[in-house]
Amino acid sequence: MSKTKRRTAVKVLNNSGDRRAAPGKPSIAWQNKDITSKYFGENLKGKSFAVYGLELPEIKEVQPTNLPAIEANELRLDHLFLLKDDSLALVDYESTYADSNKIKYLNYIVRTLKRNMEQHHFPCKIRMIVIYTADIQPQQTKERMDIGCLQFQLEEAFLIQKDSEQTEARLQARFQGNQELSAEEQMEFIILPLTCKGNEEKQACIRRCFEMAKLLEDADMQRFLLSGMLVFADKVITKEDSKQIKEWIMMTKVGQLFEEEKIQYGLEIERRVTKDVTKKVTENVTKNVTENVTKNVTKTNELKFSKILLHAGLSIEEISNAMTVLTADDVRKIAEKMYPKSDIRKADPK
């Protein structure tokens, strides 16, 4: 996707910020934290928490964090990982410390154990890991709890032990030189805002990290780093910053889908053509086919994207202005199929 097209789409989405979805209409999926968690989790395999000061096996699999309810309410921990030694790592991060948090962690453990027993019929080794932001000193916490019948041991990591300024300067140099990040540097980046003290410093670091990530030419790596930062900074990031980063992730994803589908479709057509025609004819046909393929694939993707924007409550005129192939009449036909005509008149008086 070109920079111009991306800016146009982002502008349209930003203009939709004050609109509320009509009753019964689903919200846009990519605004959900679960989507960014999915992008992040898909690329975590093989990485480790060693850079945070934790001696653990590498991550083997990211598991769902919605644990079975034992009480009336349902708790959701921050992260749950299957490690290479087949132990489960429950990861929570805190910017404050309280002994009572251990009750919350015990709830996580019991629910995780319950699900594991239901699925595999035997208990697994469970690690409870707490990552403390730079607001917490090691001497402020207690890693053990002994109540007689139960001894509870945490594995703690303290981000105050990371030099945030030095780490940021080193990463900034890597980004500006368009150098590939190591697995350890990737994990350093996603946790970098939490190595700063206080909410204001964390917010400023989040914005700087966003600008750094934009320098990357690798769209997949860019999405992984930004989605990882969103997941870890979920408790401290502002709604405005979160929305802006998610929109950027969405635009890079849409752009990649456009390019991948055009390339794959074009290659398939070219392969079929070359079987039956001479080289000279193939050259002429391929040129025409490429133009048609580009138009057809673009139209297909714009149809999908138009439905998403209609769900978000944008008007037909706003959507058609952001498209390169679809006309206002095309968007209106899509809207008429999706909603009753009465709804269309409200959304688009014309």
Side-chain angles (χ1 to χ4, degrees):
M1 175 181 285
S2 67
K3 290 183 179 179
T4 301
K5 190 183 296 183
R6 180 184 295 172
R7 285 196 297 268
T8 302
V10 170
K11 183 178 179 181
V12 171
L13 290 170
N14 284 336
N15 290 339
S16 68
D18 296 331
R19 298 176 181 272
R20 297 185 178 274
K25 293 183 182 179
S27 60
I28 297 179
W30 51 266
Q31 289 181 328
N32 194 301
K33 178 187 173 184
D34 289 342
I35 299 299
T36 52
S37 296
K38 181 175 182 293
Y39 288 149
F40 177 50
E42 287 173 349
N43 293 276
L44 270 181
K45 293 179 182 178
K47 295 183 174 63
S48 78
F49 292 99
V51 72
Y52 307 148
L54 294 165
E55 295 184 5
L56 300 173
E58 292 180 350
I59 296 169
K60 182 177 178 180
E61 180 181 296
V62 180
Q63 300 207 335
T65 58
N66 52 325
L67 301 174
I70 295 177
E71 301 170 350
N73 66 316
E74 180 186 43
L75 294 179
R76 180 185 285 264
L77 72 159
D78 289 335
H79 309 285
L80 177 59
F81 302 103
L82 176 66
L83 304 183
K84 279 197 172 180
D85 65 350
D86 289 325
S87 64
L88 289 174
L90 285 69
V91 181
D92 221 41
Y93 70 91
E94 305 284 359
S95 58
T96 59
Y97 174 79
D99 285 334
S100 58
N101 282 342
K102 292 184 176 65
I103 305 302
K104 175 179 67 173
Y105 305 148
L106 283 171
N107 266 316
Y108 294 159
I109 292 169
V110 171
R111 295 181 186 199
T112 301
L113 182 62
K114 180 178 185 291
R115 183 168 71 184
N116 183 263
M117 291 291 288
E118 289 173 348
Q119 294 176 352
H120 304 291
H121 309 295
F122 63 87
C124 60
K125 180 178 179 180
I126 298 177
R127 306 168 186 265
M128 184 64 228
I129 299 165
V130 182
I131 300 175
Y132 292 104
T133 67
D135 307 283
I136 300 296
Q137 298 279 353
Q139 59 267 27
Q140 292 178 253
T141 72
K142 298 176 183 177
E143 64 180 3
R144 291 178 60 86
M145 183 175 73
D146 189 344
I147 57 173
C149 68
L150 173 68
Q151 293 183 341
F152 183 30
Q153 176 74 48
L154 299 176
E155 296 184 59
E156 299 177 318
F158 297 91
L159 297 183
I160 194 171
Q161 297 173 343
K162 300 284 292 180
D163 188 326
S164 60
E165 291 184 3
Q166 185 181 72
T167 302
E168 183 175 344
R170 175 165 45 83
L171 291 174
Q172 180 75 46
R174 301 283 285 178
F175 279 98
Q176 289 179 342
N178 198 28
Q179 297 175 317
E180 185 176 349
L181 299 183
S182 67
E184 291 77 15
E185 287 171 332
Q186 293 169 32
M187 297 298 280
E188 281 184 313
F189 178 89
I190 63 177
I191 207 76
L192 184 59
L194 301 186
T195 65
C196 300
K197 290 184 179 180
N199 282 338
E200 289 186 7
E201 283 297 320
K202 290 182 179 64
Q203 296 298 333
C205 186
I206 287 171
R207 297 185 187 105
R208 292 195 300 271
C209 286
F210 183 27
E211 294 304 316
M212 273 197 285
K214 289 180 180 180
L215 299 175
L216 281 177
E217 294 180 0
D218 186 337
D220 287 330
M221 179 59 66
Q222 188 183 93
R223 283 196 301 274
F224 168 64
L225 294 178
L226 289 177
S227 58
M229 185 179 69
L230 279 177
V231 169
F232 271 90
D234 181 63
K235 295 177 181 177
V236 297
I237 193 170
T238 65
K239 290 182 179 179
E240 292 76 13
D241 288 338
S242 178
K243 179 175 180 289
Q244 188 177 8
I245 294 173
K246 287 175 183 176
E247 287 176 349
W248 182 271
I249 292 173
M250 178 60 182
M251 290 305 102
T252 58
K253 184 65 177 176
V254 169
Q256 185 188 47
L257 289 175
F258 267 70
E259 295 306 316
E260 287 179 354
E261 290 191 31
K262 282 195 292 185
I263 292 171
Q264 291 302 319
Y265 191 20
L267 289 175
E268 176 63 20
I269 294 297
E270 184 177 0
R271 185 186 65 80
R272 294 177 183 176
V273 169
T274 53
K275 286 184 177 181
D276 304 314
V277 296
T278 64
K279 183 178 179 180
K280 184 175 180 180
V281 174
T282 299
E283 290 174 353
N284 294 331
V285 172
T286 301
K287 181 179 178 181
N288 295 330
V289 166
T290 302
E291 294 175 352
N292 291 332
V293 164
T294 300
K295 183 175 180 180
N296 290 337
V297 173
T298 300
K299 184 173 182 178
T300 299
N301 283 281
E302 287 189 357
L303 286 170
K304 297 176 184 177
F305 200 35
S306 295
K307 292 179 181 179
I308 294 175
L309 297 180
L310 284 167
H311 276 305
L314 273 70
S315 72
I316 291 171
E317 182 180 359
E318 288 174 320
I319 296 171
S320 62
N321 287 339
M323 299 298 139
T324 59
V325 175
L326 294 186
T327 64
D329 287 338
D330 293 328
V331 178
R332 185 172 289 104
K333 290 177 182 178
I334 297 170
E336 288 173 351
K337 291 181 180 179
M338 292 173 62
Y339 308 114
K341 290 186 176 180
S342 57
D343 288 348
I344 297 302
R345 286 194 296 271
K346 291 179 181 179
D348 194 67
K350 295 182 179 181

